[in-house]
Structures are given as structure tokens and as C-alpha cells.
Amino acid sequence: MLLGLVYTLKVFDIIWIMSKGGPGDASSTLAIWSYRLGFGSTLPKFGPAAAVGNLLIVLAVLFGLVYIHTQRKQQLS
């Protein structure tokens, strides 16, 4: 379940191939936002793109820690 959650946070390829973020950014994710900031315009903004990438990492770690904490509580009870 934890790996599924992490994959959901970082999913890029399927959404980009199918709709490039959807009509009006309807299916845009943090990974697509980071890609657009870094490579999507004529003047790339690598700093903000890296910041969004770091945010993805922090979110994945936080969700992972919460998941591990709840699993340990359930095992002890």
C-alpha cells in the first residue's frame, strides 16, 4: 500500500502521454507541474521546478511515516 501511495504521488508518464495535464490542468499533478516549470516554457525555471520536486519527496516521506506509524500501532494492539 505504501508503494502504491508513493507511485500515486509521482505519477507522470501516463497522464502526460494521455492528456498532458488534461483540459485546463484538470488532471495535473505535482510531477507535471514540476516538469512544466523546468522544461515546459521557453525560459525554464529550474529553481521552482526543483522546489516542487523536493515538495514531492517531503510529501512521500510524510505519508510513509504516517503509514508506518499506524501499522505499528495496529500490530501492537
Side-chain angles (χ1 to χ4, degrees):
M1 180 159 169
L2 179 60
L3 289 176
L5 178 68
V6 170
Y7 179 73
T8 302
L9 283 175
K10 70 169 192 69
V11 69
F12 171 80
D13 53 352
I14 295 172
I15 295 173
W16 189 256
I17 289 170
M18 296 296 285
S19 65
K20 294 192 182 194
D25 294 331
S27 61
S28 186
T29 62
L30 287 175
I32 290 176
W33 185 32
S34 176
Y35 178 81
R36 283 185 180 160
L37 284 172
F39 303 108
S41 64
T42 56
L43 293 173
K45 300 172 184 167
F46 295 122
V52 173
N54 287 334
L55 181 64
L56 273 169
I57 292 171
V58 168
L59 284 174
V61 168
L62 285 176
F63 282 133
L65 291 174
V66 168
Y67 177 76
I68 290 171
H69 181 70
T70 56
Q71 288 298 317
R72 285 188 181 168
K73 270 189 171 179
Q74 287 179 357
Q75 285 180 350
L76 294 175
S77 337

